[in-house]
Amino acid sequence: MLLTQFMGRKSIVAIITLMSAALIGIIMIQLYWIQESVDRNTESFNSRVYLILGNVQEKIQSKSTGPKEAYEYFKKSNQNELKSPLTKEIDSLFSEYSLSEYSLYDRQRLRFELRANHSSIRPSVLLESIDPQELQKIIEEEMADQDIDAPYDFGVFSSELKDFIIVNGVYTATIGETENMSTVDTEMNKSLYTSPYQIQLFASEFDKPGYLKISFLNRTRWLWSSVMPSLISSIVFTGLILFCFSYTIYVILRQKKVSEMKTDFINNMTHEFKTPIATISLAADSINSPSISSNPDKVKRFSNIIKEENNRMLSQVEKVLQMAVLDKRDFSLNLTEVDIHSIILQAAEHARLQLESKNGIITTELEAEVSKIKGDETHISNIIHNLLDNAIKYTPESPKINISTSNKSNGIVINVSDNGIGMTNDARKQIFDKFYRVHTGNIHDVKGFGLGLSYVKAIVTAHNGRIEVQSELGKGSKFIVYLPYENR
């Protein structure tokens, strides 16, 4: 409250702007670091995948290109052809020595000769020699070593067949046929074709038989899952900051409004008390005048003025004290049988006297068949008087006020309507707040503290009733009060 008293509208706007900028800055920084974390994870992921491909390539080639395996691939690729001199040389080489007796030089020479003879060995033979299950096992081991558990597909692509011959540990193309016999799922096939993760198998300066490819359909989701704890934490704490920021702004604006209303209340109270005090002072000075004090009639007249003005001040003080009691909920209703119609007629008669000076009228339509309820007669009477006073105050010219009653849902409905200045939707929402007064433009003769309707709302609620207002700017207002027969 103290803060809002020393802060102007510009100061509040400046603080809100700075707090908003700070909050946006925090959010942007959080997003930046989260994106940086994802980018670093992506780079690390790519490095580990290429390392896996390199390790798999090395293991596959070491298992598939030894002297015996090379000889078997050679014979397999030439099984329907006449034996060439190279075939005889290789046959004699393998029959003359056991595998263990081959020197490193012999093994490399044999491997080179087999790969160099394009007319005798098809490049795809080396790929077809790969054991799919062995390949799958090697990839699984390498994935585990690199701590990658993202779902993946892998395949061996043949440059000769223009298709995958192995996908996910299963042969998918018929060996030796050139037509595409692939049974790979369309989406999987597309993913493998476009995957950036690939490495050549059995490549030499003469040919490139094919590639080993790995694709990750949910790579992005997997990468984001690694930062999900940080992301969730950032969202939660940013949400808390946003909530506190919003609540702080709400409190500041509300306190500013309350401060303004209380300032208006003090100004109104000063004005309300200043007039009767001045009148009492003038009347007292008049009584003390020798020309007046010798005239009993004039003394009596000025004494009555003093009494009336004193009662007026007491009435205003009583309203403030009543609201203080209502705020503390430190009051009890004196429940008796109350005739609503009787109270309305008395209040209407009192209001009629006030309307004479404004050339106004008041009408009643008391149509409720059951008009008696259990309630506090004094407080209910104050409800009716306050509603009528409000209608008179906010109808500057020729007031036309109507009070009607009807029965509804085990209770009585009281309607008080006028042809006054009406109110906006925003004013209608705040009309029952303490100290709130509808702005009257250039009209400055509307007196009061802004406590009347707040008091009405509190008393109606205490009787377990309801109150609402219907209003249109420039066309008047209608207050609808519902009071049950029994206060339960």
Side-chain angles (χ1 to χ4, degrees), residues 246-262:
S246 302
Y247 182 73
T248 301
I249 296 302
Y250 168 78
V251 170
I252 290 175
L253 295 177
R254 183 173 180 82
Q255 290 296 335
K256 181 68 175 175
K257 184 182 295 183
V258 171
S259 178
E260 291 174 350
M261 288 192 298
K262 287 194 173 182

Side-chain angles (χ1 to χ4, degrees), residues 366-394:
L366 309 181
E367 299 177 353
E369 296 180 0
V370 180
S371 62
K372 294 182 179 180
I373 67 170
K374 286 287 185 180
D376 189 304
E377 184 173 0
T378 301
H379 285 303
I380 292 177
S381 178
N382 290 338
I383 290 175
I384 305 301
H385 279 86
N386 276 314
L387 291 176
L388 291 176
D389 287 343
N390 188 75
I392 295 170
K393 284 193 296 184
Y394 289 97

Side-chain angles (χ1 to χ4, degrees), residues 80-98:
N80 296 323
E81 301 177 9
L82 295 175
K83 289 188 176 182
S84 64
L86 177 61
T87 306
K88 294 179 180 179
E89 180 183 350
I90 294 174
D91 282 339
S92 63
L93 186 62
F94 273 94
S95 61
E96 184 177 352
Y97 302 100
S98 65

